[in-house]
Amino acid sequence: MATGCSPSFEEIALTDGITAWAAAAEGTIQWWTSALRRGATPPELMVDGIRWWETMTDRRRPTWSSRHEVVFEAPVARLRDFSGVRASEVIPCLVLPPQAGHDSCIVDFTPEQSQMRTILEAGLDRAYTLDWIGAGEGTKNAGIEDYLEVIDRAV
């Protein structure tokens, strides 16, 4: 690769592929090392393998874990209000999850893994998040202006 040039798609794909295989190999080695260290028996290994397979093939759509209300909806996003009955006149907190093609509920994934609950528990009582709508028929013609308009409206 020439100095100062951006890497090509092929170079990025090769690097990412090598990184993914290295991570898979490292994870496999760690799993077997742990199994040997704890003296796992073949039946235990089989149960672990079945549990792993069930977890990997469980493809349910993620959900929001905390109580909230959809305050408004646009073609590209929804604004969700987690404030509840405690809302006061303090400055509100607006969370902008990454618009990365996956569900925005990553900010409220489980009761133990929720940025929204953490915000409320920290004392902020007006908590909102945008929930980006994934790519599909309804969003195929959306442009950056549409996304900026939703952020503007949310603010």
Side-chain angles (χ1 to χ4, degrees):
M1 180 170 74
T3 305
C5 294
S6 296
S8 69
F9 172 78
E10 292 80 7
E11 291 169 320
I12 293 170
L14 177 62
T15 301
D16 287 352
I18 291 169
T19 301
W21 278 106
E26 182 180 333
T28 302
I29 290 167
Q30 288 176 356
W31 186 84
W32 277 107
T33 302
S34 171
L36 291 171
R37 202 174 292 134
R38 72 176 194 269
T41 64
E44 290 171 329
L45 294 174
M46 184 175 289
V47 168
D48 286 350
I50 291 169
R51 189 177 325 125
W52 177 85
W53 186 255
E54 287 172 346
T55 301
M56 293 304 296
T57 57
D58 182 8
R59 300 297 297 169
R60 288 175 290 155
R61 186 173 191 86
T63 59
W64 296 85
S65 71
S66 304
R67 211 165 31 97
H68 64 278
E69 172 187 357
V70 174
V71 183
F72 83 78
E73 187 166 352
V76 297
R78 295 172 204 85
L79 180 64
R80 296 180 182 266
D81 180 358
F82 287 78
S83 303
V85 296
R86 300 182 321 167
S88 67
E89 293 302 314
V90 298
I91 298 171
C93 177
L94 175 61
V95 176
L96 299 175
Q99 201 291 333
H102 54 68
D103 283 278
S104 299
C105 65
I106 193 71
V107 299
D108 186 52
F109 195 62
T110 66
E112 299 78 27
Q113 186 180 352
S114 172
Q115 292 174 12
M116 302 313 295
R117 288 184 190 211
T118 301
I119 289 166
L120 294 170
E121 289 167 3
L124 295 170
D125 56 6
R126 293 185 61 206
Y128 302 85
T129 187
L130 281 175
D131 174 16
W132 301 111
I133 295 172
E137 260 321 290
T139 60
K140 71 179 181 182
N141 295 318
I144 188 69
E145 298 83 15
D146 300 301
Y147 292 94
L148 292 174
E149 183 180 312
V150 167
I151 293 170
D152 219 23
R153 184 171 173 199
V155 170

